[in-house]
Amino acid sequence: VTVFTGDGIAKQPGFGQKTVHMGETMLWLGAAAATAVLLPLFDIYGRRDLLYFAGVLGLTSAASALLATSAWLYLAAQFGIGLFLFPTGLTAWVLAAEGVSPKVHNRMLAVWNICYSLFGVIMALCSLGINRTSMSWRMESVFWYMP
């Protein structure tokens, strides 16, 4: 997200390019912590309940990043996004695959991957248009976090 919104974030009073780079680092540190801690818990305690819990916390973190008025809140929210939204995305397709019969399992995964790829292409095309507007970085981030 900060590839497209970084310039707008850096112009925010109390923020700067350093905040943007630290935010990216915090996001990936959160993702690494999620891989080491949360993903194994999904297998031990069940995926569905923890998936919903992580999703709610991830969306709360994304909203906090959008509403952040200080660099520290922004950095903490970026860590929360990495910690909670990354495992949600990684686990959702497993739940979907487990919810279908073995007959259609491979077909469902193929359709899932095709849709995921198409969505990525659509988001890239949309970013070309959004990047040329004077849209606020907060509003632009909403479009990135909505899916």
Side-chain angles (χ1 to χ4, degrees):
V1 174
T2 55
V3 170
F4 301 104
T5 60
D7 293 336
I9 295 170
K11 293 175 188 171
Q12 175 87 14
F15 291 52
Q17 265 320 52
K18 186 176 179 181
T19 305
V20 173
H21 295 303
M22 288 174 59
E24 292 170 349
T25 301
M26 294 303 288
L27 179 84
W28 289 107
L29 285 175
T35 303
V37 177
L38 284 183
L39 288 177
L41 291 178
F42 285 172
D43 287 332
I44 295 169
Y45 296 108
R47 293 184 184 102
R48 190 168 306 275
D49 293 338
L50 285 176
L51 177 71
Y52 291 129
F53 182 68
V56 168
L57 290 176
L59 291 175
T60 302
S61 296
S64 297
L66 295 175
L67 301 173
T69 55
S70 72
W72 290 106
L73 179 59
Y74 176 77
L75 295 175
Q78 289 296 328
F79 182 79
I81 291 168
L83 185 65
F84 298 117
L85 284 185
F86 275 62
T88 302
L90 293 172
T91 308
W93 73 270
V94 175
L95 277 175
E98 290 174 346
V100 298
S101 72
K103 280 185 181 177
V104 295
H105 181 267
N106 289 340
R107 187 171 293 138
M108 192 279 308
L109 288 177
V111 169
W112 184 285
N113 284 324
I114 290 168
C115 291
Y116 185 82
S117 298
L118 286 174
F119 181 77
V121 170
I122 291 168
M123 285 296 288
L125 291 173
C126 290
S127 69
L128 288 173
I130 290 174
N131 204 22
R132 294 188 173 111
T133 67
S134 60
M135 184 182 296
S136 164
W137 70 269
R138 295 177 193 274
M139 181 54 84
E140 188 176 341
S141 296
V142 167
F143 291 119
W144 285 102
Y145 290 136
M146 272 186 354

